[in-house]
Amino acid sequence: MKRITGKKLLCIVILLHSAILISAQENNINKREHVQLDTGWLFAFGHPSDVKKDFGNGTGYFSYFAKAGYGDGAAAANFDDRAWRKLDLPHDWAVEQPFSSDASFSHGFKAIGRNFPNASVGWYRKSFFIPQTDLGRRISIQFDGVFRNSIVWVNGHYLGTHESGYTGFQYDITDYLNYAGNNVIAVRVDATMEEGWFYEGAGIYRHVWLNKTNPLHVATNGTFIASAVNGNNAAITAKTEVANDGTEKRTVDVLQTIVDAEGRTVATAKSTGISIIPFETKEVTTNLPLANPHLWNLEVPYRYKIITAITDGNTTTDIYETRFGIRTIRFDAKEGFFLNGKNIKLKGTNNHQDHAGVGAAMPDALQYFRIKTLKEIGSNAYRASHNPPAPEFLNACDSLGMLVLDENRLMGTTTERLNEVKQMIVRDRNHPSIISWSIGNEEWAIENNIIGERIATTLQNFVKSLDTTRPATAGISGGFQSGISSVLEVMGYNYMGNGNIEAHHNKFLNQPGMGTEEGSTFATRGIYITDKQKHYHAAYDKKPRPTFFSIEEAWKFYATRPYLAGMFIWTGFDYRGEPTPYGWPSVTSYFGMMDLCGFPKDNVYYLRSWWGNKPVLHLLPHWNWQGQEGKEIDVWAYSNCDEVEVFLNKKTLGKKKMEQYGHLEWKVNYQSGTLEAIGYKEGKKIISDVAKTTSSPISVALAADRSVLKSGGDVAVIAVQVEDKNHLHVPVADDEISFTINGPGKIIGVGNGNPTSLEKERFIEDIQTVTIENLKEKQVDGIQNRTEITSDYNDASWKQAFEGRTHLDSAKAYVYRGTFNLPAGFSQSEVSFFYKSLGTEQSIYINGKLIGENLKQDKIGNEFKLDKTFLKEGSNVIAIIALPIRKRYEWDNINTDPGTIQMVTQPSVWKRKLFNGYAQVIVQTTKGAGEITLTATSGNLKAGVIKIKSVENSLKE
């Protein structure tokens, strides 16, 4: 046997390694990946106009518009971001800001916007690795939503600007990447200007993804599944956009496979011999018959999955999955709305994406919590007001059975406006929950004129070019007479007090209609006496304004007119901003059926009575009116029973008959004890409700909506209350509760639904950075034993550092001196210095104290935790003795910035006052399985403790 020499062995190893790498690369190229990029971001505030505060972005000799790869300042790949705040997405920086009377009424008086430039521009950066085996794939970065006006760079290359805060966008970054190396995303977000008149948040408030595909692949959102049902059969039409981003002509086959919810293949079809030239996207239509389909409906929201496989010869280059549901919808001008041939009244709510504690940056599980909460009150429909919602919201509606009006943000027919409509429809049209595309809302300037009519007509035709399966609508509030109202496929009435709905219907007998906004009532949860000074509005359902109608009046109107498909109440949940009928210091709306946390107001029980099919009985108000004995109290009962009888301390106050879609009232002189109601059906007692006078609270009680969570971002919503000695909830309590958490979880937000609360909603570390200023230099002959490092050395004659230096005249060594100012109270913070090398070797002193000796040049830089004993409030002196980094060419850029001083102050304990008996904590899992323990304490009250189990999340969709 011949012995293999070392060189031959090395060659064989290299060849084998190359073969393995090539094989891995070929396998990788044909694998589609959808990778979430939510973790490990860095964040800092920039500035809309002050260049220094905006990290000098856009000030380079070449701008990022001028030449490729010249992103400067925080957009540069090598920018030093070590002093920035670490966080995960989604992130809303607006909810973290304090309140101010100088801030926007519309945005809940959060201190962002034009009056607050220091908190209106945010920068995000993230490093990520791309393996060598990805070479040859098409790679794009996808943003589901950034509020707003974002600019994105990768490795210093400008990718683009996206103004809208609500439509998703993506950039192909294939050619800009470092393969087998590190890559950097930089995003500048400018939330200075509002896009709506409601709270919108600020920042990257939805998910970010990295998409990897073969050059021959299904385009993003590239499948459209439509179905037609005929008896026990369904005809499925799959339209697929196949993209060839390669450089050669390809001939492909497209295989479509329908899989049911149990994972069984129920239909297949194949289209063959499709020729696609380079950089072409071609639509391929495939028809698939399906016998005995399961229809998606509100009770059983059944969904299928279609698997699209693209093959080139014997190679499958892409597999793309699309979920869809089979159902029929129809709006009828005489009989309203039909789902699968069944007449259904739309029992809807309007809502913004906004929740207590987290603002617009909702974790996915919170979307499900909100839809479940709405379904519990009997709601079956949701209007996404007034913008395209998050994809995860639509997934929640699909899986839980909630109908959706998907809404465009701004009406218009320019290329930009039409593109936003297209992005919404192409992204969302496979969701069975969506029953209509709303092209706009309350565009008063154009609602009743020919311009509005033209715009609406063009938009509707444009919608039909993208999706013929759903009608278009819009919310109209400026009178229902002409203009947009006369051309809409489905008329959307915003408030019956704004016009004559019946007259409009009689004029347009072939136009279906629905109430896209109705109610707009005012209520403060748990308050039953209006107090204008405190900005409290009694929670009895009364007319909000003379020309508007109560929830009860509105529902009676829509429920009793078959030609109206139903109505959408303004709103399901309270939201920040629009604190009508008040202003500062009210910071949230009063319109919701539930408060900002999702705690129900009393109107919820009216809706449960007439929207649901279970017996309901609810008494209001609470029965804690100590000190008001003998005072007449308005007592209401919401119920769907035939009759309701009320008792005070077992003495009857009378039995009353319930009118359909109505409520009942009693006048009751207050007396502590027990107020009880009994509901009767056909003369039989079927349900009761009790309000009892409570004693003082003695303990804190916690209740979670879920007891088992998945690790890595799942959420539990925890209700907080206090109880008396009889374990009764105390409805007037306002105790401040503090929270601590242990285990694989973290608190991400607190709230209480109080529209006038100016308390913090998030308790996060405070990070301040201090720059080194007035950097001067002196040429010296060595770096050892220099007297220039003392804090009191006179450097008045020194010149500005690096000024006028060329690549030919560097000295043997330099001493640099500069100053930085520490604010009062800095000693309460952890102070760090993030140093960037000014030399090939250097020593660093602060106030004469050596903190780093003979440090070699480091591309990343050095980090020092500073001992606060040698720091001082006000001016501090830094001295650096360094052997210079020499330029090879005059145009080389050498570092001239010594780095940043960072001060980190840890947050105080999470806390929140109860409001009328309730508060809320949102807990999110971190990595790893285990038990999460949340403890709530308040003064001398017995602590509340709840345990939640976190299990490993092995299922990734």
Side-chain angles (χ1 to χ4, degrees), residues 16 94 224 236 281-282 310 331 378 450 452 458 470 499 557 662 670 736 750 890:
L16 285 171
F224 177 31
I236 310 300
T281 298
K282 183 170 285 188
I310 309 298
F331 284 88
I450 189 62
T458 299
R470 300 172 178 89
F557 183 88
Y670 177 67
E736 184 174 81
V750 291
E890 179 58 37

mmCIF file of all heavy atoms in Angstrom, residues 16 94 224 236 281-282 310 331 378 450 452 458 470 499 557 662 670 736 750 890:
data_model
loop_
_atom_site.group_PDB
_atom_site.id
_atom_site.type_symbol
_atom_site.label_atom_id
_atom_site.label_comp_id
_atom_site.label_asym_id
_atom_site.label_seq_id
_atom_site.Cartn_x
_atom_site.Cartn_y
_atom_site.Cartn_z
ATOM 1 N N LEU A 16 -12.029 17.351 -0.618
ATOM 2 C CA LEU A 16 -13.215 16.820 0.071
ATOM 3 C C LEU A 16 -14.015 17.943 0.723
ATOM 4 O O LEU A 16 -15.250 17.986 0.651
ATOM 5 C CB LEU A 16 -12.807 15.791 1.122
ATOM 6 C CG LEU A 16 -12.382 14.417 0.610
ATOM 7 C CD1 LEU A 16 -11.809 13.579 1.741
ATOM 8 C CD2 LEU A 16 -13.569 13.695 -0.038
ATOM 9 N N ALA A 94 -42.498 55.392 21.425
ATOM 10 C CA ALA A 94 -43.420 56.438 21.868
ATOM 11 C C ALA A 94 -44.044 56.093 23.211
ATOM 12 O O ALA A 94 -44.206 56.963 24.077
ATOM 13 C CB ALA A 94 -44.516 56.656 20.821
ATOM 14 N N PHE A 224 -52.342 33.520 -4.949
ATOM 15 C CA PHE A 224 -53.692 34.018 -4.687
ATOM 16 C C PHE A 224 -54.639 32.853 -4.884
ATOM 17 O O PHE A 224 -54.765 32.311 -5.987
ATOM 18 C CB PHE A 224 -54.029 35.177 -5.619
ATOM 19 C CG PHE A 224 -55.433 35.701 -5.446
ATOM 20 C CD1 PHE A 224 -56.078 35.655 -4.211
ATOM 21 C CD2 PHE A 224 -56.112 36.270 -6.518
ATOM 22 C CE1 PHE A 224 -57.365 36.147 -4.051
ATOM 23 C CE2 PHE A 224 -57.398 36.767 -6.374
ATOM 24 C CZ PHE A 224 -58.029 36.707 -5.138
ATOM 25 N N ILE A 236 -61.202 25.371 -6.769
ATOM 26 C CA ILE A 236 -60.109 26.195 -6.241
ATOM 27 C C ILE A 236 -59.259 26.674 -7.403
ATOM 28 O O ILE A 236 -58.803 25.867 -8.233
ATOM 29 C CB ILE A 236 -59.240 25.398 -5.245
ATOM 30 C CG1 ILE A 236 -60.107 24.702 -4.197
ATOM 31 C CG2 ILE A 236 -58.205 26.317 -4.611
ATOM 32 C CD1 ILE A 236 -60.941 25.629 -3.359
ATOM 33 N N THR A 281 -41.250 37.827 -13.998
ATOM 34 C CA THR A 281 -42.194 37.201 -13.079
ATOM 35 C C THR A 281 -43.438 36.851 -13.878
ATOM 36 O O THR A 281 -44.040 37.724 -14.517
ATOM 37 C CB THR A 281 -42.559 38.139 -11.915
ATOM 38 O OG1 THR A 281 -41.377 38.426 -11.166
ATOM 39 C CG2 THR A 281 -43.584 37.501 -10.999
ATOM 40 N N LYS A 282 -43.812 35.578 -13.855
ATOM 41 C CA LYS A 282 -44.925 35.108 -14.670
ATOM 42 C C LYS A 282 -45.995 34.488 -13.787
ATOM 43 O O LYS A 282 -45.701 33.705 -12.877
ATOM 44 C CB LYS A 282 -44.432 34.084 -15.692
ATOM 45 C CG LYS A 282 -45.511 33.572 -16.640
ATOM 46 C CD LYS A 282 -44.910 32.743 -17.772
ATOM 47 C CE LYS A 282 -44.227 33.637 -18.795
ATOM 48 N NZ LYS A 282 -43.803 32.887 -20.004
ATOM 49 N N ILE A 310 -42.039 24.518 -7.119
ATOM 50 C CA ILE A 310 -41.478 24.924 -8.414
ATOM 51 C C ILE A 310 -40.347 23.956 -8.756
ATOM 52 O O ILE A 310 -39.417 23.784 -7.950
ATOM 53 C CB ILE A 310 -40.925 26.366 -8.361
ATOM 54 C CG1 ILE A 310 -41.968 27.323 -7.783
ATOM 55 C CG2 ILE A 310 -40.460 26.811 -9.737
ATOM 56 C CD1 ILE A 310 -43.223 27.437 -8.574
ATOM 57 N N PHE A 331 -72.839 40.584 -0.044
ATOM 58 C CA PHE A 331 -73.570 41.722 0.494
ATOM 59 C C PHE A 331 -74.793 41.948 -0.394
ATOM 60 O O PHE A 331 -74.667 42.075 -1.612
ATOM 61 C CB PHE A 331 -72.706 42.984 0.499
ATOM 62 C CG PHE A 331 -71.680 43.020 1.597
ATOM 63 C CD1 PHE A 331 -70.419 42.470 1.411
ATOM 64 C CD2 PHE A 331 -71.970 43.612 2.811
ATOM 65 C CE1 PHE A 331 -69.466 42.521 2.416
ATOM 66 C CE2 PHE A 331 -71.021 43.662 3.824
ATOM 67 C CZ PHE A 331 -69.772 43.118 3.632
ATOM 68 N N GLY A 378 -69.593 38.687 21.984
ATOM 69 C CA GLY A 378 -70.527 38.402 20.903
ATOM 70 C C GLY A 378 -70.182 39.048 19.587
ATOM 71 O O GLY A 378 -70.921 38.921 18.604
ATOM 72 N N ILE A 450 -67.241 65.803 -6.905
ATOM 73 C CA ILE A 450 -66.890 64.989 -8.072
ATOM 74 C C ILE A 450 -65.480 64.426 -7.959
ATOM 75 O O ILE A 450 -65.195 63.337 -8.468
ATOM 76 C CB ILE A 450 -67.045 65.824 -9.374
ATOM 77 C CG1 ILE A 450 -66.901 64.923 -10.618
ATOM 78 C CG2 ILE A 450 -66.053 66.974 -9.399
ATOM 79 C CD1 ILE A 450 -67.951 63.845 -10.715
ATOM 80 N N GLY A 452 -64.019 63.349 -5.188
ATOM 81 C CA GLY A 452 -64.158 62.133 -4.390
ATOM 82 C C GLY A 452 -64.774 61.001 -5.176
ATOM 83 O O GLY A 452 -64.360 59.836 -5.063
ATOM 84 N N THR A 458 -62.002 55.109 -9.324
ATOM 85 C CA THR A 458 -60.714 54.559 -9.747
ATOM 86 C C THR A 458 -60.206 53.524 -8.746
ATOM 87 O O THR A 458 -59.725 52.447 -9.128
ATOM 88 C CB THR A 458 -59.682 55.693 -9.894
ATOM 89 O OG1 THR A 458 -60.133 56.606 -10.897
ATOM 90 C CG2 THR A 458 -58.315 55.149 -10.289
ATOM 91 N N ARG A 470 -64.100 40.160 -3.397
ATOM 92 C CA ARG A 470 -64.626 40.955 -2.288
ATOM 93 C C ARG A 470 -65.014 42.338 -2.793
ATOM 94 O O ARG A 470 -64.343 42.909 -3.657
ATOM 95 C CB ARG A 470 -63.580 41.117 -1.179
ATOM 96 C CG ARG A 470 -63.082 39.822 -0.557
ATOM 97 C CD ARG A 470 -61.921 40.134 0.376
ATOM 98 N NE ARG A 470 -61.387 38.966 1.066
ATOM 99 C CZ ARG A 470 -60.417 38.181 0.590
ATOM 100 N NH1 ARG A 470 -59.882 38.438 -0.607
ATOM 101 N NH2 ARG A 470 -59.987 37.159 1.303
ATOM 102 N N GLY A 499 -76.485 61.972 8.746
ATOM 103 C CA GLY A 499 -77.272 61.993 7.526
ATOM 104 C C GLY A 499 -78.460 61.067 7.643
ATOM 105 O O GLY A 499 -78.640 60.378 8.644
ATOM 106 N N PHE A 557 -81.453 50.409 15.692
ATOM 107 C CA PHE A 557 -81.633 50.885 14.314
ATOM 108 C C PHE A 557 -81.127 49.864 13.308
ATOM 109 O O PHE A 557 -81.824 49.492 12.363
ATOM 110 C CB PHE A 557 -80.911 52.223 14.151
ATOM 111 C CG PHE A 557 -81.077 52.841 12.789
ATOM 112 C CD1 PHE A 557 -82.149 53.671 12.521
ATOM 113 C CD2 PHE A 557 -80.154 52.603 11.769
ATOM 114 C CE1 PHE A 557 -82.318 54.252 11.272
ATOM 115 C CE2 PHE A 557 -80.309 53.173 10.522
ATOM 116 C CZ PHE A 557 -81.396 54.003 10.266
ATOM 117 N N GLY A 662 -83.273 46.293 24.501
ATOM 118 C CA GLY A 662 -83.350 47.359 25.481
ATOM 119 C C GLY A 662 -82.586 47.058 26.756
ATOM 120 O O GLY A 662 -81.742 46.147 26.812
ATOM 121 N N TYR A 670 -79.755 54.360 48.285
ATOM 122 C CA TYR A 670 -78.621 53.537 48.701
ATOM 123 C C TYR A 670 -78.721 53.095 50.152
ATOM 124 O O TYR A 670 -79.027 53.880 51.060
ATOM 125 C CB TYR A 670 -77.300 54.273 48.491
ATOM 126 C CG TYR A 670 -76.118 53.454 48.979
ATOM 127 C CD1 TYR A 670 -75.767 52.273 48.334
ATOM 128 C CD2 TYR A 670 -75.405 53.834 50.113
ATOM 129 C CE1 TYR A 670 -74.700 51.494 48.785
ATOM 130 C CE2 TYR A 670 -74.336 53.067 50.573
ATOM 131 C CZ TYR A 670 -73.997 51.898 49.908
ATOM 132 O OH TYR A 670 -72.963 51.114 50.362
ATOM 133 N N GLU A 736 -51.617 51.315 45.012
ATOM 134 C CA GLU A 736 -50.477 51.145 44.105
ATOM 135 C C GLU A 736 -49.877 49.766 44.346
ATOM 136 O O GLU A 736 -49.566 49.404 45.477
ATOM 137 C CB GLU A 736 -49.425 52.218 44.333
ATOM 138 C CG GLU A 736 -48.265 52.120 43.343
ATOM 139 C CD GLU A 736 -47.284 53.267 43.482
ATOM 140 O OE1 GLU A 736 -46.430 53.203 44.385
ATOM 141 O OE2 GLU A 736 -47.371 54.215 42.677
ATOM 142 N N VAL A 750 -47.410 47.633 31.862
ATOM 143 C CA VAL A 750 -48.442 47.687 32.890
ATOM 144 C C VAL A 750 -49.457 48.749 32.489
ATOM 145 O O VAL A 750 -49.141 49.696 31.765
ATOM 146 C CB VAL A 750 -47.861 48.015 34.283
ATOM 147 C CG1 VAL A 750 -47.027 46.871 34.807
ATOM 148 C CG2 VAL A 750 -47.046 49.306 34.253
ATOM 149 N N GLU A 890 -3.486 59.504 0.948
ATOM 150 C CA GLU A 890 -4.078 60.717 1.487
ATOM 151 C C GLU A 890 -5.588 60.563 1.701
ATOM 152 O O GLU A 890 -6.154 61.128 2.628
ATOM 153 C CB GLU A 890 -3.796 61.900 0.537
ATOM 154 C CG GLU A 890 -4.395 63.227 1.001
ATOM 155 C CD GLU A 890 -3.900 63.638 2.380
ATOM 156 O OE1 GLU A 890 -2.716 63.409 2.683
ATOM 157 O OE2 GLU A 890 -4.706 64.187 3.144
#
